[in-house]
Amino acid sequence: MRLEKAINKELCDAALKIQSTFRGHLARKLVNKDEPEDVDIQEITKKVAEELDIDLTDPELNKAATKIQASFRGHKTRKEVPTSAE
């Protein structure tokens, strides 16, 4: 059980690092609109994964990433749909 918690924490930390790196990339992209948009998100993901020594083929990592993406999409959809109380 402890090993499972340690692995989950490590996956969460890795996901957090990837997300924060991507957010930083987006923020810099907004500030530096003069830069060419040749940088591919796949390249960024691979660089971060290499720096953190993350195995992108790990099924648990993919499962965690899918859950994060689904949660974000749900959040985004709820934010865009007007509530009936308004």
Side-chain angles (χ1 to χ4, degrees):
M1 190 71 173
R2 278 187 166 171
L3 179 61
E4 199 173 297
K5 284 185 179 181
I7 291 171
N8 285 340
K9 181 175 178 359
E10 188 176 312
L11 287 174
C12 286
D13 290 346
L16 181 65
K17 179 66 176 175
I18 291 168
Q19 290 172 341
S20 65
T21 302
F22 182 69
R23 284 189 198 111
H25 163 72
L26 289 179
R28 286 186 297 280
K29 186 176 175 181
L30 288 173
V31 171
N32 301 322
K33 288 187 179 184
D34 298 335
E35 288 184 12
E37 295 187 20
D38 295 350
V39 180
D40 187 21
I41 187 64
Q42 300 274 338
E43 273 183 50
I44 295 169
T45 303
K46 285 180 183 178
K47 285 180 183 179
V48 171
E50 288 172 4
E51 287 177 16
L52 297 175
D53 192 29
I54 298 172
D55 180 14
L56 293 177
T57 61
D58 180 11
E60 288 296 317
L61 181 66
N62 288 327
K63 187 177 174 182
T66 301
K67 185 167 182 133
I68 291 166
Q69 291 167 353
S71 296
F72 177 76
R73 286 188 192 110
H75 164 76
K76 187 176 175 183
T77 300
R78 287 188 298 278
K79 188 175 178 183
E80 290 173 356
V81 175
T83 60
S84 57
E86 291 180 0

